[in-house]
């Protein structure tokens, strides 16, 4: 943290003073002066802009540097399928997935998962791995909020794991963290993977999404796997769990899915080699006729999926957040 005697803090104070003076001068220019000497206005505004640019430079996190550092810690051959990317996407997803368009609470700003109430939601089991992975970066870049750090980690992971150029997502920073746990959303807003299409719609409609966007965001299940010590479920959805593609949708239609015979919670497995799994919320995408039309389209056209997923992801991460 900066001390009062820090030279950078002193320079920042001077820039603030310079900006304030330049802005007041620009506001005080009379129309007659503008007509007679427009360069005075240009000069005043340039001074204001320069001071403001310096102010932003010294107060805003270096998102480019943070993104670079996130990209460098993604690969780890000792973790799952060799990448932390999927769990970072899940962290960003679940952090933002608490949004309610009804009362404008929840969403990607706040970082309520720092406290036990939200962290203890069964849907967030295992995300301590992702949060812990990012702690050294929070210490290295103290100006970045947890909300921005978690969100940026999800964006960076998606970009690193997607070879399709039609993934066009844009991170916007400026989120503020909650000061107290009581500011966070009520628990239980995330999807329950053991339920069906009515539940899925209730959760996503609350966030302001339509059926097409629901299916698009479900495509993130192309990434990662389930763990018995977290969600209770077991296995990956696809053969390429560290690559964002439309394979998830292809497999929904090309494989035969049957209930898995085991002592764990109800899930499906593919009959061809029994190495993949699907959850009830996955199978409802090909059982519900409206969902099925979209899922089938995505299975046949990855570019369309990427374009729709990009828009839905940006919406998810920016719901309720204004910079």
């Amino acid at each position: 943290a900066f001390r009062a005697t820090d030279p950078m803090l002193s320079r920042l104070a001077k820039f603030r003073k310079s900006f304030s003076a330049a802005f007041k001068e620009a506001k005080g220019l009379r129309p007659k002066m503008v007509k007679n000497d427009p360069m005075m206005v240009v000069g005043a505004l340039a001074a204001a802009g320069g001071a403001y640019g310096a102010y932003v430079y010294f107060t805003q996190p270096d998102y480019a540097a943070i993104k670079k550092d996130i990209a460098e810690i993604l690969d780890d051959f000792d973790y799952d399928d060799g990448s932390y990317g999927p769990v970072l996407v899940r962290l960003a997803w679940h952090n933002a997935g608490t949004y309610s368009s009804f009362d404008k609470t929840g969403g990607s700003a706040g970082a309520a998962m720092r406290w036990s109430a939200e962290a203890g939601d069964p849907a967030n089991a295992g995300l301590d791995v992702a949060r812990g992975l990012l702690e050294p970066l929070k210490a290295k870049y103290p100006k970045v909020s947890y909300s921005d750090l978690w969100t940026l980690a999800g964006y960076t992971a998606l970009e690193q794991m997607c070879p399709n150029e039609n993934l066009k997502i844009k991170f916007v920073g400026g989120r503020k963290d909650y000061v107290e746990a009581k500011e966070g959303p009520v628990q239980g807003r995330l999807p329950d993977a053991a339920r069906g299409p009515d539940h899925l719609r209730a959760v996503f409609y609350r966030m302001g999404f339509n059926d097409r966007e629901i299916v698009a965001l479900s495509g993130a299940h192309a990434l990662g796997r389930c763990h018995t010590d977290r969600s209770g479920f077991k296995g990956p959805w696809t053969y390429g769990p560290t690559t964002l593609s439309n394979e998830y949708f292809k497999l929904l239609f090309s494989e035969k899915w049957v209930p898995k015979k085991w002592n764990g919670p109800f899930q499906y497995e593919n009959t061809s080699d029994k190495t993949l799994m699907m959850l009830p919320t996955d199978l409802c995408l090909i059982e519900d006729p409206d969902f099925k039309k979209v899922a089938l389209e995505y299975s046949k056209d990855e570019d369309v999926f990427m374009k729709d997923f990009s828009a839905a992801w940006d919406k998810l991460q920016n719901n309720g957040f204004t910079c």
Side-chain angles (χ1 to χ4, degrees):
F2 290 121
R3 302 187 304 274
T5 56
D6 195 310
M8 185 175 290
L9 194 59
S10 177
R11 292 198 302 272
L12 177 57
K14 292 179 181 179
F15 278 123
R16 284 176 172 164
K17 185 176 181 181
S18 173
F19 170 72
S20 179
F23 185 72
K24 287 180 179 178
E25 182 178 346
K27 283 183 65 178
L29 292 174
R30 296 290 186 268
K32 183 173 67 175
M33 293 172 65
V34 174
K35 181 178 179 180
N36 294 339
D37 192 357
M39 291 308 296
M40 291 185 64
V41 181
V42 174
L45 292 177
Y52 178 71
Y55 173 78
V56 170
Y57 177 80
F58 281 104
T59 58
Q60 294 301 303
D62 188 346
Y63 293 115
I66 299 170
K67 182 176 181 178
K68 182 176 181 293
D69 283 358
I70 292 171
E72 290 177 351
I73 63 172
L74 290 181
D75 293 338
D76 185 342
F77 293 110
D78 293 325
Y79 179 77
D80 266 7
D81 299 291
S83 173
Y84 285 107
V87 75
L88 291 179
V89 172
R90 181 168 168 248
L91 174 64
W93 205 120
H94 284 215
N95 181 52
T98 58
Y99 179 69
S100 173
S101 61
F102 303 135
D103 60 8
K104 313 301 181 186
T105 59
S108 64
M113 227 182 294
R114 289 172 294 149
W115 291 284
S116 58
E118 190 63 25
D121 188 320
N124 290 327
L127 288 179
D128 56 311
V129 172
R131 298 194 301 273
L133 181 70
L134 296 173
E135 274 298 328
L137 296 186
K138 182 67 174 77
K140 182 178 179 180
Y141 301 99
K143 287 188 289 187
V144 70
S145 66
Y146 278 101
S147 307
D148 269 354
L149 181 60
W150 296 352
T151 303
L152 181 57
Y155 271 87
T156 305
L158 284 172
E159 291 172 343
Q160 292 293 314
M161 293 187 291
C162 184
N164 190 309
E165 62 182 12
N166 286 293
L167 179 75
K168 298 185 185 301
I169 51 180
K170 183 179 181 181
F171 169 80
V172 178
R175 293 165 185 79
K176 305 297 183 184
D177 291 336
Y178 297 134
V179 177
E180 299 179 281
K182 64 182 181 181
E183 298 178 75
V186 296
Q187 189 179 357
R189 286 184 172 180
L190 296 168
D192 181 349
R195 301 177 68 179
D198 290 343
H199 167 73
L200 208 55
R201 285 191 171 94
V203 170
F204 279 87
Y205 284 5
R206 185 204 70 224
M207 292 189 279
F209 291 108
N210 58 36
D211 283 3
R212 190 174 186 87
E213 292 168 321
I214 292 173
V215 179
L217 286 172
S218 297
H221 277 176
L223 302 169
R225 62 173 58 236
C226 288
H227 305 75
T228 54
D229 61 342
R230 298 178 190 179
S231 64
F233 301 108
K234 182 181 181 180
W237 287 268
T238 70
Y239 293 109
T242 60
T243 301
L244 181 64
S245 68
N246 69 336
E247 185 190 11
Y248 167 76
F249 296 108
K250 288 182 176 180
L251 290 168
L252 276 171
F253 290 99
S254 64
E255 289 282 347
K256 181 179 180 182
W257 300 96
V258 298
K260 181 179 177 67
K261 295 179 180 180
W262 72 319
N263 294 325
F266 182 83
Q267 66 178 73
Y268 297 90
E269 67 179 2
N270 65 326
T271 59
S272 63
D273 61 13
K274 298 185 178 182
T275 62
L276 302 179
M277 68 94 205
M278 290 287 173
L279 305 173
T281 47
D282 297 310
L283 262 292
C284 80
L285 298 184
I286 61 173
E287 294 170 344
D288 181 275
D290 292 324
F291 285 158
K292 184 177 181 179
K293 288 186 295 185
V294 182
L296 184 60
E297 182 182 356
Y298 291 160
S299 73
K300 296 178 179 179
D301 194 329
E302 184 176 83
D303 289 348
V304 171
F305 163 59
M306 288 297 171
K307 291 175 182 177
D308 286 357
F309 177 82
S310 298
W313 175 263
D314 280 344
K315 180 177 177 179
L316 173 68
Q317 297 303 325
N318 294 322
N319 265 344
F321 160 66
T322 53
C323 59

